């Protein structure tokens, strides 16, 4: 089974693809992780279209069966929360169009599952991702590690 984990954003979106089963040891094997970056000067509709396109390409390239997506967190700035909701919407659309199973987790749930504490910092999440997947180094940048953590949350909670 392959799981695509995504930490959504309209400027930077982190992602990670993990494969489990087929004799894969431990939590699975990291296939790919990274970030998708979108121009700050581009309009929101343009960035959302780019995000949808990039997520659709990741799905086509890796053929995951599951999308694990970080839920929106409630920010003091309502606009930030609303824009993040738009990003989540286009990611969900891309996954639904390809028939993926979809799991959504609150940020604190991802941190608690991977690190053991819902208030863990980004560097702690990255360190535990590296440990759980037996990686030589922490996935960089931290948004990529957060995408991998979302995928790990699905694996650990299934």
């Amino acid at each position: 089974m392959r799981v695509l984990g995504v930490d959504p954003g309209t400027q930077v979106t982190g992602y990670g693809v993990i494969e489990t089963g087929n004799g894969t040891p431990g939590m699975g094997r990291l296939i790919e992780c990274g970030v998708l970056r979108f121009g700050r000067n581009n309009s929101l509709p343009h960035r959302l279209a780019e995000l949808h396109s990039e997520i659709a390409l990741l799905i086509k390239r890796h053929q995951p069966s599951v999308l694990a997506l970080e839920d929106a967190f409630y920010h003091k700035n309502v606009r930030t929360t609303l824009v993040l909701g738009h990003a989540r919407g286009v990611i969900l659309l891309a996954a639904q169009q390809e028939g993926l199973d979809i799991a959504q987790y609150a940020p604190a749930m991802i941190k608690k599952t991977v690190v053991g504490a819902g208030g863990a910092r980004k560097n702690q999440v990255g360190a535990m991702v590296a440990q759980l997947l037996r990686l030589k180094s922490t996935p960089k940048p931290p948004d990529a590690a957060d995408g991998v953590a979302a995928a790990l949350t699905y694996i650990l909670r299934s």
Side-chain angles (χ1 to χ4, degrees):
M1 166 180 63
R2 282 194 178 185
V3 180
L4 169 61
V6 179
D7 176 28
T10 57
Q11 291 180 9
V12 178
T13 291
Y15 70 90
V17 180
I18 299 175
E19 183 173 58
T20 63
N22 302 329
T24 315
M27 292 293 124
R29 180 172 64 100
L30 181 64
I31 303 296
E32 179 183 331
C33 70
V35 293
L36 307 171
R37 295 186 188 276
F38 309 101
R40 292 184 123 190
N41 296 329
N42 292 337
S43 69
L44 178 60
H46 185 267
R47 285 181 282 155
L48 292 172
E50 282 185 284
L51 176 57
H52 180 272
S53 176
E54 291 295 328
I55 293 294
L57 286 172
L58 280 172
I59 292 169
K60 287 194 186 319
R61 184 166 68 240
H62 293 292
Q63 298 294 303
S65 53
V66 177
L67 170 78
L69 182 64
E70 185 175 298
D71 259 339
F73 60 92
Y74 300 100
H75 197 271
K76 290 178 187 173
N77 181 338
V78 175
R79 179 166 163 56
T80 301
T81 303
L82 184 61
V83 170
L84 181 58
H86 293 324
R88 291 184 72 257
V90 299
I91 293 165
L92 289 168
L93 174 62
Q96 184 64 39
Q97 286 173 329
E98 294 299 324
L100 273 61
D101 289 336
I102 297 169
Q104 301 176 67
Y105 303 103
M109 176 62 70
I110 292 172
K111 292 173 183 178
K112 184 166 179 55
T113 302
V114 173
V115 179
R121 293 187 306 273
K122 281 193 175 277
N123 65 330
Q124 293 173 302
V125 172
M128 282 305 297
V129 162
Q131 185 177 347
L132 289 169
L133 292 173
R134 299 182 179 130
L135 304 174
K136 293 179 182 175
S137 62
T138 302
K140 300 280 187 217
D143 294 301
D146 289 348
V148 176
L152 277 170
T153 299
Y154 177 82
I155 292 164
L156 290 166
R157 295 198 156 269
S158 293

